[in-house]
Amino acid sequence: MLAFYYAVPTSLSLLISLSCIIFLSVIYYIDRKKHKKTIGFGVTVCLTAISLGLLVTNLHHEKRHTTHYSHFQREGEPITFRIKTLLKPSLYSDKYTVDLLKIGNTTVKGKALLNISKSDSTSQLDVDHLYVTKAALSPIKSASNPHQFDYKSYLEKQYIYNQIFTNPSELLLIQSKSHTVYGYADRLRKHINQSLETHSFSTDELAIINALLLGQRQDVSKDIVTHYVNAGAIHILAVSGLHVGIILYLLTLVFKPMHSIKNGKHISGLIIIILLWCFAVVAGLSSSVTRAVTMFSIVAFAMHLKRPTNIYNTLAFSILVLTLFKPLIIFDVGFQLSYLAVLAIVSIQPLLANLWSPKYKVTQRLWDVFTVTLAAQFGVLPISLFYFHQIPSLFFIANLIVIPFLGGILTLGIIVIILASLHALPTFLADLYGGIITLMNTLMAWISDQNTFLIEGISFNKYQMFLAYIVIVFFVSYIKNGSYKWLRMTLITIVLFYGVLIYSEFRIASSNFTIFHKSRYTILGKKVNKKLYIDSNLEEPSTFSSLNSFITENRISLTKHDTLSSIYHYNNNYLLVIDSLGIYKIPQFRPKYILLSNSPKINLNRVINTLQPKVVIADGSNYKSYVARWKATCSKNKISFHSTYHNGAYKLK
């Protein structure tokens, strides 16, 4: 995190790391015979870890490498790239991440985002195929509105800084062979899907099979994802620790007969670890599956050596391994959710399980599932509120219904895939599995439709999130130890939490006037404490997601919608809206702000001379060619110009 937010030179981080390692070695040599380590040893270990984090992050920062394509961008030069991964398509384009190989004749490195416009003849590009295009690299736009998801920041944490917009006719295929594990894995997934498509699986059933067993969620429809999210069971569709744990258990059963031969345990353990990583590759090496396979590889290794394992050490070691190879994975939401859920399960679930001891096995099984689910929800609740602003109250019902049967669903799915790939899948088995998937989707849809139990629009900032986790840690420590110290710390943290809550309420109790950005529309918002007055030419402002995010983050309790006016008064200043009618001549009227809306056919020089404004604003309802011309005019007249296309929403001060 230090290396990401603060630019530390690579040479300096290398020097610091070497110095810390040498100093740590000296202290260890001096203290090695002592039973108790000194404070100096502990501090040196922490400093060494931090310095290694700086070094590793710098070494992985592709933009700092001299061969990165950002140092060789030239207009009109052909770009050679390799398809790396397939992303979820948007409404108008298919999306991929690509490795850039050449710009012109210069060999380069680095990742970019590829957008290919859709058409009736558009077919999906294959991973590892090489293409050439003359389309130019363009920057990725930042978030245009307050509290909107910042896609640019998200991609930068994956070392993606630019994008290419093109269409199929502008791509030239120059190589169609696979050379990387990603390419071979993609070919295997395509073979599996082609085999499954010969049977009577519906589109939604195939999409769920791909998500459950192959880690590919691109084809899962938005409605199904929404159902699983609202039901609190979206983790079922993400290949993670739950799936990998079940697969490890199944593989252990399959290779158990090998234990009877000489060195059979070691050989079977090695085979299991190799198969787990083969599964991770097929599943696309997402952060969740990589984390799970890394952790369970360590568990499997310890199991077959008959060594005792400490789950906290196992988790810590898997984090260390992952961050050494991919430092910025710590910013991945799935990575954060996965580890927090597992930590909560291993620390909180035993406490919940001890509250009741059922007599019957079935009841015990359901109680275990319930306590695991509840513990996981405790672990992810604060960060889920921070990112997603909702609580699916019926999460335990969804998990009680699905998780006890998930092992059977995955096992049957693996059998179905193997038989389909061998062209030996019986029709009745395909119909049975398709029916199970459809039933699961139907149950999630029914739970999702119980809107009364879905609490949405919860504002939760990062300070509240951090304090909530501290409260959970202190309270769990108090329950385990019964110490007054932990109770005192818990109560102090709760007081701090409420202090932050009160401060947040005080901070948002203010007024502002915002001109939002939305293509083809004009949307103005006047916030007065917790009331928001929306004026727009949009029929249903609730369909504008950025506006909903604004309402949630500012804890708006009342929203009123009206049509656009020509003049607005805010904080002793006037805003004049000049729309397509082009009316602006008002005697003795001198507005500080002018908003150009719906591409008015005006002479901006005359407008500036007549009204003498301080700021000219052009929103997303205007033609881009008009905006470019207006910007030049304002620059010539030394008037401040703001385009929401390029600069995002404008907030009146």
Side-chain angles (χ1 to χ4, degrees), residues 83-84 96 124-131 186 190:
I83 304 295
K84 186 172 184 180
Y96 305 84
Q124 194 179 99
L125 304 185
D126 292 321
V127 174
D128 261 7
H129 285 195
L130 266 60
Y131 291 88
D186 184 65
K190 278 185 166 57

Side-chain angles (χ1 to χ4, degrees), residues 118 200 302 400:
K118 286 183 178 179
S200 57
L400 280 174

Side-chain angles (χ1 to χ4, degrees), residues 298-299 301-303 305-311 313-314:
I298 299 166
V299 172
F301 184 73
M303 281 169 54
L305 286 180
K306 292 189 175 179
R307 296 287 183 89
T309 58
N310 180 303
I311 188 63
N313 286 343
T314 303

Side-chain angles (χ1 to χ4, degrees), residues 188-203:
L188 177 59
R189 288 193 297 266
K190 278 185 166 57
H191 171 71
I192 291 170
N193 275 284
Q194 288 169 0
S195 302
L196 292 172
E197 285 169 1
T198 60
H199 296 274
S200 57
F201 293 110
S202 67
T203 304

Side-chain angles (χ1 to χ4, degrees), residues 4 11 25 34 125 128 162 213 252 264 380 384 402 413 417 494 553:
F4 181 78
S11 56
S25 302
K34 296 180 181 179
L125 304 185
D128 261 7
N162 290 82
L213 297 160
T252 304
V380 301
S384 295
V402 176
I417 284 176
I494 290 173
E553 293 292 344

Side-chain angles (χ1 to χ4, degrees), residues 261-406:
I261 65 175
K262 187 179 179 180
N263 296 322
K265 290 183 179 180
H266 300 304
I267 295 170
S268 64
L270 181 62
I271 293 172
I272 287 172
I273 292 172
I274 292 171
L275 290 175
L276 284 177
W277 280 103
C278 288
F279 172 73
V281 170
V282 172
L285 287 174
S286 65
S287 61
S288 59
V289 71
T290 306
R291 186 273 308 169
V293 171
T294 302
M295 185 180 68
F296 279 110
S297 295
I298 299 166
V299 172
F301 184 73
M303 281 169 54
H304 287 84
L305 286 180
K306 292 189 175 179
R307 296 287 183 89
T309 58
N310 180 303
I311 188 63
Y312 297 104
N313 286 343
T314 303
L315 286 170
F317 185 69
S318 63
I319 292 173
L320 175 62
V321 172
L322 290 174
T323 50
L324 284 174
F325 287 96
K326 194 177 179 183
L328 299 190
I329 197 173
I330 60 170
F331 293 105
D332 188 284
V333 178
F335 174 85
Q336 296 167 9
L337 289 170
S338 296
Y339 273 101
L340 288 169
V342 175
L343 282 169
I345 288 170
V346 299
S347 59
I348 299 175
Q349 193 271 341
L351 302 176
L352 297 174
N354 291 334
L355 295 176
W356 182 41
S357 298
K359 295 180 179 179
Y360 305 104
K361 285 187 177 181
V362 175
T363 315
Q364 180 66 53
R365 173 67 174 165
L366 293 174
W367 175 244
D368 287 341
V369 172
F370 176 73
T371 53
V372 167
T373 304
L374 192 60
Q377 287 296 324
F378 273 123
V380 301
L381 181 60
I383 199 169
S384 295
L385 289 175
F386 174 68
Y387 284 123
F388 310 118
H389 309 293
Q390 66 177 34
I391 301 175
S393 302
L394 294 180
F395 66 88
F396 60 91
I397 293 179
N399 287 278
L400 280 174
I401 291 172
V402 176
I403 288 181
F405 305 101
L406 190 60

Side-chain angles (χ1 to χ4, degrees), residues 516-530:
F516 293 93
H517 173 77
K518 183 169 176 59
S519 180
R520 296 181 296 175
Y521 294 98
T522 296
I523 302 176
L524 310 179
K526 184 178 181 181
K527 175 184 171 294
V528 182
N529 296 324
K530 288 191 175 184

